[in-house]
Amino acid sequence: HQDAVGRGSDASDPVRPGAGPRRGFTDVMVMPLCKPGASGDSRICIGAICLCREDGLPFQEDEQGRTEMLTNQAAAHIMNLRLLDESRTRAATDGLTGLPNRRAFVEKMDEMLHRAARFGTPVSLLIMDTDHFKNVNDTYGHPVGDQVLKRLAGLLHGSVRDKIDMAARYGGEEFAVLLENTAHDGALNLGERLRSALEDETFIHMEGSNANQFHVTMSIGVASYPEAGDAMILVGKADEALYEAKQTGRNKVVSAHGG
């Protein structure tokens, strides 16, 4: 099994390059952790297990066999954990934009509000909706509409702190941004920057050799904790502010708490 095991039994130079952490072993056995189901040149190595002896004895064939069996079991277990993690990630991710979906948003909001209640810190929520998005789809087609949503998703993702805040696709053409330890004024400022950035974006739709340029705007409602007392109230207040923004001219940021 030379293709699966690296061994060194010469006490004067017992460890082959990369086979062990230090010299002086009397025998070394390295078993690769390979992705199950592959063989030969198609094998994918995901790691390795290195066993070293200092008792003057070499590894025996039965020890090699047991080690190979345990290594295969470990590799299968590692791959199962990876697949489970990938499955969870897919379940929490919006397929079009790559942002977390509404389910992930709700879980993150609960975590943030729990910490906020414990430590007395603020949490702010922005809910935003692209203005007249149906007109974009009707005029330029759904593929162009999808490109608009992807561009907006990238804008939101690039505007929040990684592993602290969250930008999510809330549903349809609606998006949400959760800001941890961010007071209401800071959230309003971010909302205005996002609104302005999208308004400044130029989208292009090609019709034959003609390039049609157009712009998209969005309306944003902002609510914050502790002004809003729990998750249901926080979302409700942000939704109300978004509705007010839509009803009073669109392409604006409205506070749920006045001012």
Side-chain angles (χ1 to χ4, degrees), residues 73-177:
Q73 291 175 352
H77 185 61
I78 291 171
M79 290 305 303
N80 286 337
L81 290 175
R82 285 187 177 182
L83 291 173
L84 178 61
D85 186 60
E86 290 172 1
S87 176
R88 288 173 174 169
T89 299
R90 285 195 298 271
T93 302
D94 174 60
L96 175 66
T97 64
L99 291 180
N101 59 20
R102 187 166 183 159
R103 169 185 168 183
F105 160 82
V106 171
E107 292 177 356
K108 184 72 169 181
M109 181 170 59
D110 288 343
E111 293 173 7
M112 282 192 185
L113 291 177
H114 178 77
R115 285 192 293 270
R118 181 179 179 184
F119 298 110
T121 54
V123 171
S124 290
L125 168 64
L126 294 77
I127 295 182
M128 56 209 69
D129 188 15
T130 49
D131 298 326
H132 303 297
F133 187 71
K134 184 177 183 299
N135 291 345
V136 174
N137 283 332
D138 291 346
T139 303
Y140 303 109
H142 288 276
V144 175
D146 287 348
Q147 290 302 314
V148 171
L149 296 181
K150 289 179 181 179
R151 186 90 65 89
L152 175 55
L155 175 65
L156 299 181
H157 179 72
S159 300
V160 300
R161 297 166 295 180
D162 189 36
K163 301 185 185 303
I164 299 176
D165 306 321
M166 175 183 278
R169 188 177 184 188
Y170 195 62
E173 62 268 23
E174 280 194 349
F175 293 81
V177 172

Side-chain angles (χ1 to χ4, degrees), residues 7 15-16 22 36 46 52 115 121 136 148 160 163 178 183 199 214 217 234 239 248 254 259:
R7 304 187 62 179
V15 182
R16 294 184 178 182
R22 64 183 178 87
I46 59 176
C52 306
R115 285 192 293 270
T121 54
V136 174
V148 171
V160 300
K163 301 185 185 303
L178 281 166
E199 184 181 33
F214 66 97
T217 63
L234 183 64
D239 266 332
T248 57
V254 172

Side-chain angles (χ1 to χ4, degrees), residues 1-2 4-5 7 29 31 59-69:
H1 302 284
Q2 188 60 42
V5 184
R7 304 187 62 179
M29 178 165 56
M31 286 284 185
F59 286 107
Q60 303 300 313
E61 291 298 321
D62 62 327
E63 292 174 318
Q64 176 182 320
R66 290 196 300 271
T67 302
E68 189 171 0
M69 179 185 67

Side-chain angles (χ1 to χ4, degrees), residues 3 6 10 15 18 23 25 56 77 94 108-109 133 145 172 179 181 193 205 228 231 234 243 247-248 253:
D3 61 324
D10 183 350
V15 182
R23 303 172 69 86
F25 300 120
H77 185 61
D94 174 60
K108 184 72 169 181
M109 181 170 59
F133 187 71
L179 303 172
N181 199 17
R193 292 198 302 272
H205 173 242
L234 183 64
Y243 180 77
Q247 294 299 111
T248 57
V253 180

Side-chain angles (χ1 to χ4, degrees), residues 246-259:
K246 290 283 192 182
Q247 294 299 111
T248 57
R250 304 177 189 266
N251 190 26
K252 62 170 61 177
V253 180
V254 172
S255 167
H257 311 300

